[in-house]
């Protein structure tokens, strides 16, 4: 199958899931995860009309996205991988949405870079819903205080929450937890669902799904 066909398939499955869950058509955004694929492999997705992309590494993104962004206007780039505070300057410069804010040090570094560059990428807090030690993200219990801290101490507006459920578990309860946490803290957006579970995520209220291999093929 060609990339265009796979992309269309994902789009129509999202639309069907929206419909089945009684959600308005177009309420879920597709973030096409292009990590490990080079500019040549990404261009067909842009040609097929895709504009929102996700990457998990700042340095890898710097090697392809400045050029791709110059070629086509309206590209929206999401950082979906862990961020080191010494990369906050590069992340603020390149990304439109940073989905992996998960600790004070990063929040502070982002706040000061956003001020310095007069640039305001939208921010999501990553929540480690499965409390997995190897995984990034703040613990669910610590999320409300952290979001309050970002808002009141740093003046950051937190637009969304993001999670990656444990690979071996049923993702539904994790998506439900993320939705509950967001509602409690007055956070609007929910980034959840990947190639294997994005339809489930739509049913649980995802406002964006991050789909890589189902579009670009195996990595
Ligand atoms: C790689 C990645 C994805 C996409 O995963 P697929 O299973 O290829 O769809 C989504 N979210 C994050 C955070 C990722 O790192």
């Amino acid at each position: 199958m060609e990339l265009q066909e796979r992309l269309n398939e994902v789009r129509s499955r999202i639309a069907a899931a929206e419909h089945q869950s009684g959600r308005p058509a177009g309420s879920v955004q597709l973030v096409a995860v292009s990590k490990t694929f080079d500019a040549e492999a990404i261009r067909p997705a842009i040609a097929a009309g895709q504009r929102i992309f996700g990457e998990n590494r700042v340095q890898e993104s710097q090697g392809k996205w400045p050029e791709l962004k110059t070629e086509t206007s309206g590209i929206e780039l999401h950082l979906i991988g862990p961020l080191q505070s010494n990369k906050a300057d590069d992340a603020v410069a390149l990304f439109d949405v940073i989905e992996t804010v998960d600790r004070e040090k990063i929040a502070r570094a982002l706040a000061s870079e956003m001020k310095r560059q007069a640039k305001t990428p939208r921010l999501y807090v990553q929540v480690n819903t499965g409390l997995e030690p190897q995984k990034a993200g703040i613990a669910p219990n610590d999320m409300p205080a952290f979001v309050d801290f970002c808002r009141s101490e740093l003046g950051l507006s937190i637009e969304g929450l993001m999670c990656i459920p444990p690979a071996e578990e049923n993702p539904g309860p994790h998506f439900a937890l993320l939705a509950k946490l967001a509602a409690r803290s007055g956070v609007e957006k929910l980034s959840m669902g990947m190639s294997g579970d994005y339809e489930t995520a739509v049913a649980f209220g995802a406002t964006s799904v991050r789909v890589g291999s189902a579009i670009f093929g195996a990595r």
Side-chain angles (χ1 to χ4, degrees):
M1 237 201 292
E2 295 296 314
L3 181 139
Q4 167 109 45
E5 283 176 78
R6 293 193 298 260
L7 185 57
N8 286 342
E9 161 96 14
V10 171
R11 284 172 176 161
S12 59
R13 285 170 64 166
I14 290 172
E18 284 171 340
H19 184 72
Q20 265 169 24
S21 353
R23 302 187 53 198
S27 52
V28 180
Q29 291 195 310
L30 172 60
V31 178
V33 177
S34 49
K35 66 189 185 195
T36 76
F37 291 93
D38 63 13
E40 219 46 59
I42 296 169
R43 280 193 188 96
I46 297 174
Q50 182 65 28
R51 290 294 177 273
I52 310 177
F53 291 88
E55 288 281 347
N56 68 338
R57 286 165 201 259
V58 175
Q59 206 171 339
E60 179 190 335
S61 307
Q62 286 174 312
K64 50 188 170 178
W65 283 103
E67 185 189 359
L68 291 168
K69 278 186 155 190
T70 309
E71 289 169 11
T72 306
S73 63
I75 298 284
E76 181 180 296
L77 195 58
H78 291 226
L79 179 62
I80 60 169
L83 177 59
Q84 309 301 320
S85 49
N86 63 1
K87 293 268 174 63
D89 53 349
D90 294 329
V92 167
L94 184 60
F95 289 91
D96 304 289
V97 181
I98 296 173
E99 298 198 8
T100 51
V101 184
D102 67 353
R103 57 195 188 278
E104 276 193 30
K105 192 176 179 200
I106 279 295
R108 285 186 195 282
L110 289 171
S112 85
E113 271 310 314
M114 286 164 65
K115 200 168 174 192
R116 199 178 66 80
Q117 299 183 32
K119 209 171 166 276
T120 49
R122 285 138 53 201
L123 304 178
Y124 288 27
V125 166
Q126 182 176 354
V127 183
N128 188 353
T129 57
L131 291 170
E132 294 173 280
Q134 83 286 6
K135 202 167 266 176
I138 191 156
N141 284 340
D142 297 333
M143 189 283 293
F146 178 62
V147 168
D148 286 346
F149 164 82
C150 290
R151 287 170 171 162
S152 55
E153 299 291 315
L154 303 177
L156 296 173
S157 66
I158 300 299
E159 179 174 304
L161 299 183
M162 180 272 231
C163 77
I164 311 168
E168 305 307 322
E169 285 183 32
N170 174 7
H174 295 272
F175 297 154
L177 173 60
L178 199 72
K180 189 173 81 178
L181 292 169
R184 273 199 208 142
S185 288
V187 172
E188 197 189 337
K189 303 283 174 72
L190 290 170
S191 169
M192 53 194 202
M194 320 201 313
S195 291
D197 55 17
Y198 64 93
E199 290 152 298
T200 306
V202 171
F204 281 95
T207 58
S208 60
V209 293
R210 311 178 307 269
V211 180
S213 46
I215 297 170
F216 290 100
R219 291 181 293 271

